Amino acid sequence: MRPFNYSRAETEKEAADAGSDGATFIAGGTNLLDLMKLEVMTPDALVDINPLDLKSISTTDDGGLRIGALVTNSDCAADQRVRHDYPVLSKAILAGASGQLRNKATTGGNLCQRTRCYYFYDTAMPCNKREPGSGCGAIGGVNRLHAILGASDACIATYPGDMAVALSALDASVEIRSANGNMRSVPVTDFHRLPGDTPEKDNVLETGDLITAVTLPPPPGGTHVYRKVRDRSSYAFALVSVAAVAKMENGKISGIRLAFGGIAHKPWHDPAVEDVLTGESPSEALFDKAGEILLKDAIGQGSNDFKIPLARRTLSAVLRQATASGASA
Amino acid sequence: MTNKFEMNDPVADLKLDRMKQGLVGSPMDRPDGKMKVSGQATYAHEWDVPGRVYGFLVRSRHPRARVTGINRDAVMQMPGILGVYDDKRLLRNPAQGMADEAPVQGTEEVFYLGQPIALVVAETFEQARHGAEALEVSYTTLDDGVFDPETANIADDDRGRKALDQGDIETAMAQAEFSLDETYRTPGHNSAAMEPHCSIAEWDGDQLTLRGSYQMLKFNRNELADSLGIDPANVRILSPYIGGGFGSKLGIAPEAVSAAIAAKDLGRPVCVTLARQQVFDMVMRRSETRQRVRLACDQSGKLTAIGHEALVSNLPGETFSEPVVQATHFLYGGATRRLGIDVARVNRMCAGSVRGPGEAVGMQALENAMDELAERAGIDPVEFRKRNIPEEHPEKGIPYSTRKLHEALDEGAKRFGWEKRSAEPAKVREGEWLIGTGMATAARVNMLQESQARVTLTAEGKAVVETDMTDIGTGTYAILTQISGDMLGLPPENVETRLGDTDFPPASGSGGSFGASSSGSAVFLACEDIRKQIAEKLQADEADLDLENGEVNAGDQTHKLSDLLNGKPMTGEGHVVPGKTGEAVSQGTYGAFFVEVAVNSTTGETRVRRMQGTFDAGRILNEKTATSQCYGGMVWGIGIALTEELMFDNRDGHIANRDLAEYHVPVNLDVPDIEVHLLKERDPWASPIQSKGIGELSICGAAAAITNAMYNATGIRFRDYPATLDKVISGMAD
Amino acid sequence: MQKTELTINRKKRSIEADPRTTLLDALRHHLDLTGTKKGCDHGQCGACTVLGNGRRINSCLTLACMHDGDEITTIEGLGTPDDLSPLQAAFVRHDGYQCGYCTPGQICSATAMLQEVAEGWPSNVTEDVEVAPPLSREEIAERMSGNICRCSAYPNIVKAILEAAEADQ
């Protein structure tokens, strides 16, 4: 770990000012310190934002929820409103990491979680995300964890988190305070980027931007499913995960939101998949069609080829479960 | 006078069974338990050594190269940095188990990516770690790297190790009623002991004290001394608590030698602990294997031929080769046999012993093949195995010592409810889950090793047991306390067992499952020495002594031990050496695994729902710790079957998944409530205390029972490990 | 150097250390509290688990200087060899360990985990996340999956926790 200056921000402005000067925010620190120890990330300055008043969950004017950026994953998953109105979010958070990590990891920090690509984590290896221009070690190497959708010649890494997958299915937004104090809201589905030629940029945050909250629209109702498929039964990253919020009316799918983890550089959201399902009666043929649309551009890299059938199978199983109740809950 | 015993004949006298104190065999709590659960047990890193500084190893970033220079000056200018060492004595990789001499030294020539090449020492851990990462190293790359064992050229003297060619296997296969010829692959494994390797080296003049995490101290002392070029008499190693070994701490390792070199130069104690990634990079791997298994049997299911030929790998210059076919030599009959191991020389990190070397992966393939041949022959897999238990060793013609394989298979089947099983695959379904059951035989060779111990009866009538034996979690503190407590008639609180100090009599060390029997026998013999001295005092026969609760009874006399000692301590020394029984009979340990799995028909995920193990390992010294050892082996079986795999990048031989997030050892939820049943047995050929090894038996075949159950659940045979979900769904119809 | 004042095991402690120092290394190198173990240093094994303001955390993935004013409880604060906590005693009775290296983390983790269950927190194996689940074998196994035990004492760890939890009811 390289030496750094440590300071605490008591106000959002203090934090943003430090951020504008190039400091890196630290909240839970569970991923940042992990990467700093390996010198994958080497900030000169850390600003501890834990003193900020961003630790509460409140109801918004439109009946949704505002989850402060410093609300821990544990507190978010255990919140009665989240459990009752947005169970897919509780489920996704609980499917990730461990009890200890969830107690430190925060809502804002978790959105910024970096890839688990083996080559990103190893400074002896080339990696365009860690060191732009050095090449991609994962292409042609070991790539079990890697992307099947939206990858580029520069990077085939995946976004590893669970929470953001559920947030994508819930049509949540990220509330961001810019360096100049202006607030903006970015849909979670637009928050993370595809790698393209600049895989070093995981998301749309600019220098000095501070995530202040995640906002959820009014409770969507319906059946909530989060299914995570991984290499052991707990405490492992997703190979494929699917978040679904489905509403049924008269035996037909009246509305559905789907998002996918473990298959791309961002939580994957494809409106075309939802469109083909909406208004239809659930059937295996319909689920297959949804899978075809989802995966029509999917490309395997060798050791992750299996993710293509796995994503299709998992989607079908999730749709089966999400539409089984027959009517809106 | 040392009570020395050479194991040349079976021991008819089951002395421990006549002892009155009733400790041996009982599920006694570990005497070290309270220290462990309260955080008071001192592991290597935790010794309070005033003035200590920290070292961090630098790894090679190239797989095959020559180091042409290091930018020492730049790092020396960083805050807190005390020294940068690239001494010619640094180790390329750890010593193999029981090497007793230095492994390959000098790190200028790089043989694998991740090889240690220098040590950076600083006042604080944080400074040393950063200094090591910042050290600029220049290399000349060498272009003769070989990274894929399956495409490597194999030298003549690396072919056919432990080979046997008995009869003509091609003919036997052609003439057989039923036969099987399949190839199995198992990947590399990491021991992943929870405590990373650590050494604190401290010099006092020419005397070196190393507080380390090591399994076999008498060998480690010689290995360390040889590495440094000093007299072993000047080396003391302390390892009273070891945070898991599993073979990874058998031989002296790079961190110890580098710490000693730096500490000597700086005149300060130096602590070097490996980062978890370095444990993956530079300690020991279990070799990957490719195993061709050929089996042939007649109409009645009697094996007529066994072929088991393996390809394993190691670094150039290493003598160790994964002994894949070890149990195949003695487990099943069949007159025609072809066994052997080829070794590919690759630029991957060093291969060495990992829990159950040989059988852990060899039994896996053999027991998969047995399951498949049983099915081809239309015979129940339990019955098929019972029909192939040979009368005598199928190659040497010698008898077996005790061997309750038949009983283990029957008892296990009964406890598991095997008769309720559907033999036809893919027939039982619960929602998305396909349910299946499977079984496998457990088998592992048994060994006794030279071991010494000293037991002192203090004037107060308490016992102090001393040996440089280690407890790597295996329960040594418990069993040595129990043996001496029984032999001397003392409750466990009046026995103090001291381990892990080379100042104590040299023991076998922990490895090869021989630790308990070997060190236990030495303690038994030391106690017998004391009993003889007591008998002499009482002018009685040692065999007539009854010792219990601090009292000795001989005929009509009863004395308190403390009275008898009359203020003078009494010391006994025990020394066991292996002898002719090792060759006169075939000694092994045996058992059976029964498993129920659920395989998800959608995602291919597998969950082990039930796991039953029945084992015969001679006398069980502590039912509780022996059971825990069996849990351990069986859970390793879950890992080997389903999740564990070192993922090598064949472009440069480096390990991609070099941490515990991506090398998947089983977690709590992966493990069901395992049932272990220990058969009652005494093996008079094995050791003076009739016990045998148990630490590794329970891994040997366990993975096969799981994949055999997966076959029963899905109809898919798994021959390429681990049986991860991608392999499951690729075998499933859509 | 960064000065940090915190309460550890009910005692006020102060350290002045490189800001890079993790809470784990502060305990082990600066405060002579070596009961907390380093297994992976990256939040991948749970051996370093301590209680921070009552919640279980990985002490390896947090900087000591971020805990100014916090209350930390380590294994040494839960019980001593002569006065074990009920969970510690249950681990001894059930052989809920072998080498002992992951054990302090397991016990700290279990101590806090039982509190989480008491507060009604759901887990990934909870059927309906809206309803507080009863403590079952499966719930314990899932919630303890962030604590790796390579000796694989898992069956006994679960038994020890179940027994301690039931005794507490």
Side-chain angles (χ1 to χ4, degrees):
Chain A
M1 193 184 291
R2 287 201 197 154
F4 54 82
N5 270 319
Y6 171 82
S7 62
R8 276 188 207 99
E10 302 293 335
T11 65
E12 289 177 20
K13 182 169 185 319
E14 270 179 44
D17 288 350
S20 298
D21 290 341
T24 298
F25 301 136
I26 184 165
T30 52
N31 190 211
L32 179 59
L33 292 170
D34 166 33
L35 291 165
M36 285 173 63
K37 287 179 186 189
L38 299 168
E39 301 201 5
V40 172
M41 291 182 74
T42 54
D44 296 323
L46 282 188
V47 185
D48 184 348
I49 58 170
N50 283 295
L52 304 185
D53 184 20
L54 300 172
K55 295 192 181 71
S56 59
I57 301 178
S58 53
T59 311
T60 59
D61 294 343
D62 67 354
L65 273 189
R66 180 178 182 277
I67 302 164
L70 291 173
V71 171
T72 65
N73 281 175
S74 290
D75 286 338
C76 184
D79 184 89
Q80 280 300 345
R81 290 162 293 185
V82 175
R83 287 158 72 178
H84 183 264
D85 294 333
Y86 310 92
V88 69
L89 179 56
S90 280
K91 289 172 199 240
I93 291 172
L94 294 169
S98 67
Q100 292 93 314
L101 289 164
R102 293 192 296 267
N103 280 339
K104 285 302 285 183
T106 62
T107 306
N110 194 222
L111 283 172
C112 300
Q113 186 178 10
R114 309 211 63 192
T115 185
R116 302 300 304 192
C117 173
Y118 322 107
Y119 298 85
F120 175 69
Y121 262 82
D122 187 343
T123 56
M125 296 292 134
C127 171
N128 289 322
K129 185 182 279 296
R130 189 185 65 247
E131 201 181 327
S134 63
C136 173
I139 295 174
V142 180
N143 47 43
R144 182 173 180 81
L145 291 173
H146 291 71
I148 52 171
L149 287 169
S152 72
D153 292 344
C155 180
I156 59 171
T158 45
Y159 170 75
D162 294 291
M163 181 193 77
V165 179
L167 291 176
S168 297
L170 287 167
D171 201 13
S173 295
V174 187
E175 184 186 287
I176 300 167
R177 181 193 189 282
S178 304
N180 61 12
N182 289 343
M183 302 299 290
R184 70 183 198 276
S185 179
V186 176
V188 171
T189 48
D190 294 336
F191 178 78
H192 298 93
R193 301 175 63 255
L194 289 180
D197 295 332
T198 51
E200 67 275 17
K201 274 185 75 67
D202 290 348
N203 53 50
V204 299
L205 290 176
E206 300 290 341
T207 304
D209 279 356
L210 174 71
I211 298 174
T212 50
V214 164
T215 54
L216 296 170
T223 301
H224 291 222
V225 177
Y226 188 75
R227 182 140 179 186
K228 178 177 183 179
V229 184
R230 45 184 158 176
D231 271 330
R232 61 184 172 196
S233 57
S234 189
Y235 204 20
F237 292 96
L239 294 167
V240 168
S241 70
V242 182
V245 179
K247 280 196 263 195
M248 300 293 292
E249 263 172 48
N250 303 322
K252 288 194 161 54
I253 302 168
S254 59
I256 188 159
R257 288 277 302 192
L258 291 164
F260 302 84
I263 58 174
H265 197 260
K266 59 184 288 187
W268 194 256
H269 175 245
D270 184 347
V273 180
E274 294 163 358
D275 290 348
V276 77
L277 292 163
T278 306
E280 300 293 329
S281 299
S283 70
E284 290 301 313
L286 179 69
F287 302 160
D288 285 348
K289 204 161 142 194
E292 268 170 42
I293 292 170
L294 172 72
L295 296 159
K296 65 179 188 301
D297 296 325
I299 299 170
Q301 299 288 340
S303 33
N304 73 345
D305 292 349
F306 70 93
K307 282 189 178 181
I308 299 174
L310 181 63
R312 183 173 44 72
R313 285 166 163 272
T314 309
L315 172 60
S316 287
V318 165
L319 290 173
R320 226 172 278 140
Q321 192 183 341
T323 59
S325 62
S328 181
Chain B
M1 271 294 287
T2 300
N3 186 15
K4 187 172 178 179
F5 182 86
E6 197 170 325
M7 197 68 207
N8 287 322
D9 298 293
V11 178
D13 181 10
L14 307 180
K15 187 175 277 183
L16 283 173
D17 287 315
R18 290 187 282 110
M19 297 296 114
K20 298 283 195 292
Q21 196 69 35
L23 298 177
V24 170
S26 75
M28 190 185 88
D29 291 346
R30 295 171 198 251
D32 45 321
K34 289 182 176 182
M35 299 293 279
K36 286 177 172 173
V37 298
S38 58
Q40 303 298 320
T42 307
Y43 297 85
H45 188 95
E46 298 160 4
W47 291 84
D48 185 15
V49 184
R52 71 138 155 215
V53 293
Y54 296 85
F56 203 89
L57 286 164
V58 180
R59 65 168 169 152
S60 169
R61 289 162 181 268
H62 289 273
R64 186 78 184 102
R66 191 168 295 282
V67 175
T68 54
I70 59 171
N71 191 346
R72 178 181 275 107
D73 295 348
V75 168
M76 286 302 290
Q77 283 164 21
M78 293 166 58
I81 301 291
L82 299 169
V84 179
Y85 299 90
D86 59 348
D87 193 284
K88 299 241 177 286
R89 293 169 293 173
L90 292 182
L91 305 186
R92 179 187 75 170
N93 50 259
Q96 298 288 349
M98 306 164 89
D100 220 23
E101 61 182 13
V104 173
Q105 288 182 274
T107 55
E108 193 184 304
E109 184 177 355
V110 174
F111 287 86
Y112 60 99
L113 199 154
Q115 177 184 308
I117 49 177
L119 180 79
V120 174
V121 181
E123 292 284 351
T124 70
F125 165 71
E126 291 76 18
Q127 292 163 340
R129 179 177 56 187
H130 175 52
E133 185 69 25
L135 184 70
E136 287 171 31
V137 181
S138 43
Y139 307 84
T140 309
T141 55
L142 303 172
D143 59 6
D144 58 346
V146 177
F147 305 113
D148 182 355
E150 298 223 14
T151 58
N153 290 320
I154 295 166
D156 285 347
D157 58 355
D158 277 334
R159 287 193 183 278
R161 293 199 172 185
K162 298 179 174 70
L164 172 87
D165 198 356
Q166 180 175 297
D168 176 4
I169 194 159
E170 276 80 16
T171 306
M173 289 288 287
Q175 293 174 348
E177 196 70 39
F178 303 102
S179 66
L180 168 143
D181 181 355
E182 296 290 355
T183 298
Y184 301 81
R185 283 181 174 79
T186 64
H189 298 141
N190 185 284
S191 293
M194 295 312 298
E195 180 202 19
H197 299 60
C198 171
S199 289
I200 305 175
E202 182 181 24
W203 292 84
D204 180 4
D206 289 334
Q207 302 286 313
L208 170 64
T209 301
L210 191 98
R211 294 160 174 93
S213 187
Y214 282 97
Q215 297 179 225
M216 309 188 102
L217 300 194
K218 73 177 175 195
F219 299 104
N220 304 137
R221 169 156 72 174
N222 291 341
E223 290 153 5
L224 180 57
D226 189 33
S227 301
L228 296 169
I230 62 174
D231 185 343
N234 290 338
V235 175
R236 183 183 183 195
I237 301 182
L238 296 168
S239 296
Y241 290 98
I242 295 129
F246 316 114
S248 73
K249 297 168 181 171
L250 291 178
I252 209 75
E255 98 289 336
V257 173
S258 63
I261 289 168
K264 183 77 178 169
D265 179 64
L266 293 169
R268 294 177 72 175
V270 173
C271 171
V272 181
T273 305
L274 297 190
R276 176 56 60 182
Q277 289 79 3
Q278 294 176 319
V279 175
F280 279 91
D281 283 345
M282 59 178 78
V283 178
M284 282 289 179
R285 63 183 164 97
R286 189 200 302 283
S287 174
E288 72 296 319
T289 71
R290 185 186 69 198
Q291 304 179 47
R292 182 184 185 191
V293 180
R294 282 180 282 183
L295 297 176
C297 71
D298 64 17
Q299 186 68 45
S300 71
K302 273 261 191 205
L303 286 171
T304 53
I306 294 188
H308 195 175
E309 293 156 288
L311 172 70
V312 303
S313 72
N314 211 336
L315 279 169
E318 289 297 309
T319 52
F320 179 88
S321 54
E322 182 76 19
V324 178
V325 300
Q326 200 152 253
T328 315
H329 281 292
F330 66 83
L331 179 57
Y332 296 124
T336 300
R337 309 172 81 81
R338 185 184 292 175
L339 284 71
I341 297 164
D342 292 348
V343 190
R345 297 294 164 186
V346 292
N347 297 99
R348 293 181 172 187
M349 50 100 66
C350 191
S353 292
V354 175
R355 194 176 193 170
E359 288 94 330
V361 287
M363 282 294 292
Q364 186 177 347
L366 180 65
E367 288 301 295
N368 279 155
M370 287 293 282
D371 195 66
E372 195 162 353
L373 187 62
E375 188 189 39
R376 291 183 192 181
I379 300 169
D380 175 81
V382 177
E383 175 59 27
F384 185 64
R385 285 164 175 86
K386 289 197 294 195
R387 286 186 197 176
N388 286 294
I389 301 174
E391 291 288 316
E392 58 180 30
H393 193 291
E395 297 163 16
K396 298 178 179 167
I398 55 174
Y400 291 91
S401 68
T402 59
R403 177 184 48 157
K404 286 195 165 165
L405 175 54
H406 206 290
E407 292 85 338
L409 289 162
D410 281 343
E411 183 68 23
K414 194 176 90 189
R415 286 171 177 267
F416 183 79
W418 183 251
E419 79 286 351
K420 295 190 216 113
R421 167 191 208 238
S422 159
E424 197 183 335
K427 282 293 155 207
V428 185
R429 196 179 178 108
E430 294 176 14
E432 277 186 8
W433 296 90
L434 303 170
I435 313 301
T437 54
M439 57 79 56
T441 294
R444 165 96 179 139
V445 292
N446 185 64
M447 292 170 274
L448 181 71
Q449 294 291 334
E450 181 174 8
S451 205
Q452 299 182 54
R454 176 171 58 233
V455 178
T456 304
L457 209 46
T458 67
E460 299 76 39
K462 296 183 176 186
V464 177
V465 179
E466 292 171 318
T467 165
D468 84 355
M469 183 59 191
T470 51
D471 187 333
I472 59 173
T474 37
T476 316
Y477 281 107
I479 60 152
L480 299 188
T481 298
Q482 288 168 285
I483 291 167
S484 43
D486 269 6
M487 288 291 283
L488 301 176
L490 297 172
E493 57 272 21
N494 286 348
V495 179
E496 184 192 344
T497 298
R498 298 176 183 165
L499 304 176
D501 182 344
T502 49
D503 278 359
F504 297 151
S508 61
S510 300
S513 293
F514 50 64
S517 290
S518 304
S519 67
S521 292
V523 169
F524 169 86
L525 294 167
C527 292
E528 200 176 56
D529 187 17
I530 290 178
R531 289 171 61 93
K532 283 176 187 162
Q533 294 173 50
I534 294 170
E536 203 171 315
K537 262 188 192 263
L538 299 176
Q539 297 184 321
D541 191 8
E542 185 266 327
D544 296 334
L545 295 185
D546 275 338
L547 284 89
E548 191 180 0
N549 291 329
E551 287 188 350
V552 55
N553 187 302
D556 53 359
Q557 4 172 14
T558 300
H559 304 275
K560 287 186 86 161
L561 265 182
S562 49
D563 294 345
L564 194 71
L565 291 163
N566 197 21
K568 281 192 197 141
M570 192 179 270
T571 297
E573 292 187 352
H575 187 177
V576 68
V577 280
K580 292 174 188 159
T581 61
E583 295 301 322
V585 289
S586 172
Q587 291 183 31
T589 52
Y590 299 89
F593 303 101
F594 290 85
V595 172
E596 179 182 307
V597 298
V599 182
N600 193 284
S601 59
T602 294
T603 61
E605 293 162 289
T606 299
R607 303 282 182 260
V608 177
R609 301 214 301 192
R610 281 201 297 147
M611 198 168 188
Q612 204 279 336
T614 302
F615 303 105
D616 163 26
R619 181 193 296 278
I620 298 302
L621 298 168
N622 180 318
E623 193 196 339
K624 189 176 280 190
T625 57
T627 300
S628 288
Q629 283 280 287
C630 294
Y631 287 154
M634 291 164 77
V635 174
W636 277 55
I638 294 175
I640 291 176
L642 300 178
T643 61
E644 290 186 40
E645 174 178 18
L646 288 175
M647 298 180 184
F648 288 93
D649 186 328
N650 274 342
R651 297 171 301 182
D652 57 12
H654 93 278
I655 296 169
N657 57 338
R658 52 199 278 277
D659 63 28
L660 291 174
E662 299 305 336
Y663 182 83
H664 294 128
V665 305
V667 296
N668 203 316
L669 192 63
D670 289 318
V671 178
D673 190 15
I674 295 170
E675 188 203 324
V676 168
H677 180 66
L678 303 168
L679 294 172
K680 190 177 175 191
E681 179 63 292
R682 307 281 184 262
D683 191 335
W685 297 88
S687 66
I689 54 176
Q690 301 92 32
S691 63
K692 293 194 277 197
I694 197 162
E696 294 166 308
L697 172 64
S698 53
I699 187 176
C700 303
I706 293 167
T707 42
N708 290 343
M710 289 171 71
Y711 170 73
N712 183 245
T714 63
I716 305 165
R717 288 285 177 193
F718 297 93
R719 303 188 185 98
D720 183 8
Y721 284 91
T724 42
L725 58 89
D726 46 314
K727 293 164 192 164
V728 176
I729 59 174
S730 77
M732 281 179 170
D734 267 347
Chain C
M1 296 296 262
Q2 193 76 29
K3 191 169 181 199
T4 306
E5 291 184 351
L6 64 179
T7 303
I8 302 179
N9 301 331
R10 298 170 294 280
K11 285 199 191 101
K12 293 256 186 251
R13 301 292 295 265
S14 172
I15 60 162
E16 201 160 346
D18 189 322
R20 288 176 290 182
T21 310
T22 61
L23 178 59
L24 172 60
D25 288 328
L27 293 168
R28 283 167 72 80
H29 295 163
H30 296 271
L31 295 162
D32 199 25
L33 289 166
T34 56
T36 308
K37 306 304 182 196
K38 183 184 285 190
C40 73
D41 218 13
H42 287 268
Q44 300 163 357
C45 79
C48 68
T49 304
V50 300
L51 278 62
N53 298 329
R55 296 293 187 208
R56 52 178 171 162
I57 59 172
N58 297 116
S59 61
C60 73
L61 284 186
T62 189
L63 298 171
C65 59
M66 294 169 72
H67 290 275
D68 202 53
D70 281 0
E71 287 199 27
I72 305 295
T73 304
T74 69
I75 189 70
E76 291 94 340
L78 293 181
T80 59
D82 297 330
D83 184 19
L84 299 178
S85 78
L87 257 174
Q88 288 172 320
F91 267 66
V92 175
R93 229 170 10 253
H94 288 279
D95 217 36
Y97 53 75
Q98 291 201 60
C99 79
Y101 197 76
C102 74
T103 312
Q106 299 276 0
I107 292 170
C108 284
S109 185
T111 301
M113 181 274 288
L114 290 174
Q115 181 62 33
E116 293 168 6
V117 173
E119 291 177 31
W121 288 15
S123 85
N124 192 44
V125 297
T126 305
E127 196 60 41
D128 177 357
V129 291
E130 216 185 316
V131 181
L135 194 66
S136 63
R137 187 189 191 287
E138 194 186 20
E139 284 283 353
I140 293 174
E142 159 59 19
R143 290 165 192 264
M144 291 301 293
S145 281
N147 290 85
I148 289 176
C149 172
R150 186 55 159 167
C151 298
S152 308
Y154 299 127
N156 285 341
I157 290 170
V158 173
K159 280 176 205 151
I161 295 171
L162 262 179
E163 184 192 270
E166 279 161 11
D168 194 39
Q169 306 253 303

